[in-house]
Amino acid sequence: MAYLVIVLAVLARFIPHMYDFSPVYGAVLFGSANMKKRDSVWFPVLLLGISDFLLTKIFFHRRFGWYELFQLAAFASIALIGWTLRKRVTLGRLGFACLAAPTAFYLISDFGVWIGFGTYPLTWNGLVACYVAAIPFQGRIFTSTALFSGILFGAQQLYAARVAKRKQVQAMARSL
């Protein structure tokens, strides 16, 4: 199921949506918490890399370059943060992941913007200016991460509770 969630989230990137409001961050957190550990990084990064290439080159007709590696590293960081949710999902852990994932993505991907696009001078002040310019977009990223993570992990918890209750009822029926 986690694989399907990631595939659907990546496909959602091709549907018109509010800029920087996407199910991808929450889906990668969910997927990395529930997939085989060896698949939890490469699978979403590969799909997101392919979708980035298609979106950049074919849909937006922009240059696709080496700096895209920063974007992929940023997505990988989200998957690694999702590992904190593998053993047990609590509200505190989920809250941490929902803050840490977009923050890591912001720091890594905007570093790539600073280095790769030539928009900012390659100085300390240029790096700071790049990070400051990206701050307004973070609100929607944090919101979408929390919303989609909450939906996915919440649905999983509801399903697990329902299955546990059904098993409990079946065990009680057998004991009669």
Side-chain angles (χ1 to χ4, degrees):
M1 180 58 100
Y3 294 89
L4 179 61
V5 166
I6 290 179
V7 168
L8 292 175
V10 170
L11 289 174
R13 298 178 87 197
F14 293 91
I15 299 169
H17 59 280
M18 187 185 324
Y19 195 70
D20 287 327
F21 192 86
S22 166
V24 168
Y25 300 96
V28 172
L29 283 175
F30 180 79
S32 65
N34 291 288
M35 297 168 80
K36 294 177 184 174
K37 199 169 190 180
R38 70 172 189 259
D39 296 346
S40 66
V41 177
W42 76 261
F43 183 75
V45 169
L46 176 66
L47 290 180
L48 289 161
I50 292 168
S51 71
D52 274 355
F53 177 78
L54 293 173
L55 287 166
T56 303
K57 290 294 281 181
I58 296 173
F59 288 92
F60 299 126
H61 306 290
R62 293 190 181 152
R63 194 179 88 191
F64 189 86
W66 62 269
Y67 50 83
E68 296 293 334
L69 294 174
F70 286 96
Q71 184 94 345
L72 297 178
F75 284 127
S77 73
I78 295 172
L80 295 174
I81 291 166
W83 287 2
T84 62
L85 304 169
R86 289 183 78 79
K87 292 184 181 177
R88 191 170 59 123
V89 178
T90 64
L91 197 54
R93 284 180 184 212
L94 185 58
F96 165 78
C98 287
L99 289 174
T103 301
F105 188 88
Y106 162 76
L107 293 173
I108 296 167
S109 67
D110 285 311
F111 185 80
V113 168
W114 174 65
I115 290 209
F117 282 91
T119 308
Y120 301 95
L122 296 177
T123 63
W124 177 253
N125 288 339
L127 178 61
V128 170
C130 181
Y131 281 131
V132 168
I135 289 173
F137 305 104
Q138 287 305 108
R140 286 191 296 256
I141 294 171
F142 280 114
T143 302
S144 66
T145 302
L147 175 68
F148 289 107
S149 294
I151 290 169
L152 292 168
F153 284 102
Q156 181 183 43
Q157 293 298 317
L158 287 172
Y159 178 76
R162 187 173 176 192
V163 168
K165 185 164 178 103
R166 186 178 311 140
K167 287 181 181 181
Q168 184 182 26
V169 168
Q170 289 172 346
M172 285 176 38
R174 274 186 257 139
S175 68
L176 295 175

